[in-house]
Structure formats: C-alpha cells, structure tokens
Amino acid sequence: MNYANLSDSSGIEVLTPESKGYDDARAVYNAMIDKRPAAIANCQSEADVIKAVKFARKNDIEMAIRSGGHNGAGLALVDGGLVIDLSKMKGIEIDATAKTAEIQSGCLLKEVDEATHEHGLALPSGIIGSTGIGGLTLGGGMGYLSRKGGLTIDNLLECKVVLASGELVTANKDSHPDLFWALRGGGGNFGVVTSFKFNLIPIKNVYAGPMFWPIEKAKEAILFYDKLTKNASNDLYGFFAFLMVPPAAPFPENLWNQKVCGVVWNYTGPIEEAEKVFAPIREFGPPILDFVGEIPMPALNSMFDALYPPGLQWYWRGHYFNELTDEAINLNIEFGNEIPNFHTTSHLYPIDGAVHEVSNKATAWANRDARWAQVFVGVAPEPENAQQITDWCKNFYNALTPYAMGGAYVNFMMEEGEAKIKASYKDNYERLVSIKSKYDPDNFFHINQNIKPIKH
C-alpha cells in the first residue's frame, strides 16, 4: 500500500516505519504494547479525519483511533494497518457564561483541567492527567467528581463524529439521538469522535488528598469507609486503595515500601466546613499519613502523574460489585499484602451519588445499579517483571470473580472477548448492536471493545 498517496493528496502528515519519529509516534502509555502500524496519520482537523477514513475504507485497511494512547489493551494501535492519530487536535473553547466547553479529541485531562480551572469550572472526568479525553469519555468517565457531577458522559451535550461512510455528523439529543445514546459509554464502535461539547460544574479549589492506614487495619478501615460514604453528601468522594508507599518524597521515609490501605479523598463542599466533615475520619485510626488539605482541582487530578509516566509495563482487569462481602474484603486484604511493587495497586471506585440519579437505560453505560467499580492494576517499570504483575492481577481478578456482578468498566478491560463485552453492557447490548448495524454495518470500527453488527 502506497501511503504516500494519502499524504500527497490530503496534506496529512503520514508516518511509516521508515519515517523519522515513527517509533515515538507508535509508543503508547502501556509499554507492554508493541504494535507496528503500516502508517500513522497525524490528523489536525475534521477534514483530515474524513480523508483518512475514506482512504482506509477505499483501500480496505484495518484502522485504529488514537486520542491519548492510554488504553491498557493497546487499542489505539493496529499491526499492519492505519492509525488515525488525533493527538494534535488540541482545541478547547470555554463558554464561562453557559458553563460549557468544546474540546477536541486530542486533549489530555490535564489540558482540560487547566483550561476550565481558569474560569472556576471543572469537568467530571478521571484521576490521571495524562489520560485522553476521547477514550475516557466514550467509555463512561469515572473520577473524583463522579458523586458530585456524575460520569463524564452525564455531562456530554454533543459530539462531532466522522462515520464509517466518511460523513461528518453532529450527535446530540435532537440530531442522531440514537448515536448520541450509544456514544455515551459504547466506546469507539460508532465512528471517530473529533470533538465533544460538555456541561461544566462550578469547582475551583477542593479539600482533597490521600490518607493511609496500616494494612493490619484494612478490614476495619474499609467497613468504616463504606458506611461513611453511604451516608455522606455528594460533596464527599473517596476511592479506596491497597498500595505500597512509594520510596520517595513527599512520603515520610519511615513509611517507604510499607503495604498500606488508604483513601484518596475529594471534598467539594464549602472549605470552611471541611475540617468538621473530616473530624470523624481523622478520629478513626488515626491515619498514619494525612495529606488532605485545600488544593486546586487540577493538582488533585494530576497528583499521581509523576508516579505513572508513560512507558511502564501495565496489565489491568476490572469488576463491578454491589456490596463488599466479608469474603471479598478478606480477598482484597490477602492480595493487598502480596502487592509486588509500589506502582501496583487496586482501587475501589464508588458508583453512587449523582451517578445513581441517571437510569441504566438513559445511556449505553449500563452499570449504575452497582456500588463499586474495582480495578486491579499491575504496573512495573521493568519488562522482566511484566509476567509477575500480570499474574498478580489475573489471580486477584479470578479470586474475586465469584463475588462480582459480571462485566467490567470497558476502560479497565484488556482484550477479554465478546462474552465479557456483552456482560459489561447488560440489557443495553442489543440496542447497541442495532445502532452499530445502522451506523457501521461492516464493522469498520472494530479495534475497540467490539460490539459486532448484525450480519445480513
């Protein structure tokens, strides 16, 4: 295939294996992924995306879509095919009066946070600043503001989408409403989303940060946390974690490499009320580390970026849970005690508050009746430790499977097969198949957690 034709006829920068910068361009966040696309099209506009899609269709080329390249399974790349790389599409327009933002798909969360923060506004999104807005949104979008403002998709007003036909459409509640429904959780199955329009919520500074307890107190801590958050206002969010304390500042040296449990808190209510809200939390234990205080929202969203730079070995899996049984808690503690290094962790993200105010049928994201989304995250800098972290993750995941609800948050999945995808979308799956069959009947967009169209 002569990819020079795409570059020459369209003006798009196209990198092939012979191009300078190709290896950097094909590198993604997870260094376990080593795919070699035949070409990478660095799109800078909707017109570029349209040309690249039409070129791939005309020449029957497999195609992947890259936004931030954060996907653990490496679905931003394809061996021997064409990557439509959106990472240079960085436009952000804020309407502070309407409290909305139009954000192009190449933006990272830290770039979105920086732009919205200037106006005292925030978008409910994730917890790592280097995450791409595209994949995060299309998968659902959980994070520090989920209890306060819902999932990222609950704040999505509109998408610009290049379909498999090469047509550019606007999807919202009035235009292509079926497509708009599917894009809110259905992943990259339906087209290349070039930009998103979001509702923003008024948040500037928060009272937030990590708090740790000895792992010996883990059962007591998780039960305390569960009860507290069930009865708390939507202004109080925290995800529970099992981890090893990183051996570096700002963590105190006496805690380095200790296995602990903890909560990363985020309180969005009146700052003058924060000490009162946290008084019973601080009385519990008390914590062996307390870094909770007033910080700008972008500082919270990027707090762990330095710990997780691009280029580490990653393997992750996920479950949904309704309630945490004694057996499930005991297994969490068992595997928490076996964490192999300070990059590896497991998080329990609460699904409640504003997330529960939207029905399972309102968007493609079908797990609002869950109480928790858990992720098991094996991470290591060294390739020789890839198997160790993979085994820890798989064993943890398998041990908890009997207590889980089935399915997983699609952004926490590796390539796990059709049955897991169906389980993740539950009763919404058949409607997604119908919409897929309408907008992409040939399954052109299949390098994703794939929803297969009906074969005719």
Side-chain angles (χ1 to χ4, degrees):
M1 175 56 58
N2 186 2
Y3 286 95
N5 291 340
L6 174 60
S7 180
D8 293 344
S9 63
S10 66
I12 301 171
E13 180 191 26
V14 178
L15 301 178
T16 61
E18 298 76 33
S19 304
K20 182 180 179 182
Y22 169 81
D23 282 328
D24 288 340
R26 74 181 182 90
V28 289
Y29 192 69
N30 182 2
M32 272 196 207
I33 307 300
D34 185 25
K35 295 182 181 179
R36 297 187 65 83
I40 300 167
N42 287 322
C43 296
Q44 300 193 50
S45 67
E46 290 169 347
D48 286 353
V49 175
I50 292 167
K51 290 169 186 171
V53 167
K54 287 183 173 179
F55 180 86
R57 283 302 299 267
K58 179 182 177 182
N59 293 284
D60 195 24
I61 300 166
E62 273 201 304
M63 192 205 68
I65 308 160
R66 175 177 179 146
S67 173
H70 226 268
N71 181 269
L75 300 176
L77 300 177
V78 56
D79 274 321
L82 176 66
V83 173
I84 292 185
D85 192 326
L86 308 173
S87 60
K88 289 185 167 57
M89 296 177 66
K90 297 283 193 185
I92 301 177
E93 293 183 14
I94 310 290
D95 184 332
T97 304
K99 296 186 177 64
T100 61
E102 293 193 37
I103 300 169
Q104 286 190 309
S105 294
C107 291
L108 305 180
L109 297 190
K110 60 187 175 185
E111 294 162 343
V112 174
D113 291 334
E114 183 181 342
T116 57
H117 186 69
E118 288 182 25
H119 302 279
L121 300 168
L123 173 65
S125 58
I127 67 162
I128 297 285
S130 56
T131 308
I133 190 68
L136 177 108
T137 301
L138 295 174
M142 296 187 299
Y144 292 116
L145 294 173
S146 292
R147 296 193 86 224
K148 177 76 169 178
L151 302 173
T152 308
I153 54 171
D154 298 335
N155 297 277
L156 183 60
L157 302 173
E158 186 172 284
C159 297
K160 298 285 180 63
V161 193
V162 178
L163 302 177
S165 63
E167 180 187 2
L168 176 67
V169 301
T170 298
N172 56 37
K173 65 183 178 62
D174 299 314
S175 171
H176 301 280
D178 54 348
L179 177 60
F180 185 54
W181 179 88
L183 291 170
R184 287 176 288 165
N189 275 283
F190 305 95
V192 185
V193 179
T194 57
S195 67
F196 303 86
K197 184 176 182 180
F198 294 105
N199 177 64
L200 304 175
I201 61 176
I203 301 268
K204 194 167 179 69
N205 286 5
V206 292
Y207 192 87
M211 191 179 282
F212 296 164
W213 293 277
I215 201 162
E216 293 76 20
K217 286 188 69 93
K219 188 156 193 175
E220 193 180 344
I222 202 167
L223 292 171
F224 169 81
Y225 157 80
D226 184 18
K227 183 178 179 181
L228 178 88
T229 52
K230 270 181 180 169
N231 298 308
S233 80
N234 287 356
D235 280 318
L236 184 65
Y237 175 93
F239 70 79
F240 199 91
F242 290 89
L243 68 153
M244 183 185 289
V245 180
F251 298 102
E253 208 168 327
N254 65 304
L255 295 182
W256 286 4
N257 293 314
Q258 281 194 34
K259 289 166 183 173
V260 298
C261 65
V263 176
V264 183
W265 297 105
N266 182 33
Y267 173 69
T268 56
I271 292 294
E272 60 271 17
E273 297 289 321
E275 295 291 342
K276 183 174 151 186
V277 169
F278 276 84
I281 299 171
R282 290 187 164 117
E283 285 167 12
F284 169 77
I288 55 174
L289 178 140
D290 183 352
F291 281 176
V292 182
E294 184 177 356
I295 56 172
M297 189 68 213
L300 174 63
N301 271 346
S302 60
M303 186 172 283
F304 303 111
D305 287 13
L307 184 61
Y308 294 109
L312 305 182
Q313 307 286 309
W314 283 77
Y315 190 91
W316 58 27
R317 289 282 186 91
H319 276 313
Y320 287 116
F321 294 95
N322 193 344
E323 293 295 339
L324 295 174
T325 63
D326 282 346
E327 293 88 348
I329 292 171
N330 290 339
L331 285 165
N332 269 282
I333 295 167
E334 177 186 332
F335 282 91
N337 270 299
E338 295 174 1
I339 285 175
N341 61 56
F342 66 84
H343 288 99
T344 294
T345 185
S346 178
H347 296 168
L348 279 156
Y349 297 104
I351 300 172
D352 54 7
V355 181
H356 278 184
E357 293 168 13
V358 179
S359 79
N360 270 341
K361 293 294 186 184
T363 66
W365 206 86
N367 295 279
R368 296 174 191 272
D369 51 341
R371 168 95 169 107
W372 307 102
Q374 185 163 11
V375 63
F376 315 98
V377 189
V379 189
E382 313 86 4
E384 60 268 26
N385 289 330
Q387 193 60 52
Q388 178 193 36
I389 59 170
T390 300
D391 290 345
W392 176 88
C393 180
K394 285 182 176 178
N395 291 338
F396 198 169
Y397 168 89
N398 290 336
L400 278 169
T401 296
Y403 309 99
M405 296 174 68
Y409 179 42
V410 293
N411 287 344
F412 292 161
M413 287 169 58
M414 302 303 280
E415 295 192 73
E416 297 173 46
E418 189 173 9
K420 188 62 179 274
I421 294 166
K422 286 182 177 179
S424 299
Y425 289 113
K426 303 196 306 190
D427 293 343
N428 287 343
Y429 185 76
E430 292 308 318
R431 185 177 177 191
L432 284 164
V433 169
S434 176
I435 297 168
K436 174 75 169 179
S437 302
K438 175 181 175 181
Y439 286 96
D440 185 19
D442 300 323
N443 206 14
F444 177 63
F445 299 110
H446 66 270
I447 309 295
N448 45 44
Q449 299 296 351
N450 193 229
I451 297 161
K452 294 179 172 60
I454 298 167
K455 291 181 180 177
H456 294 288

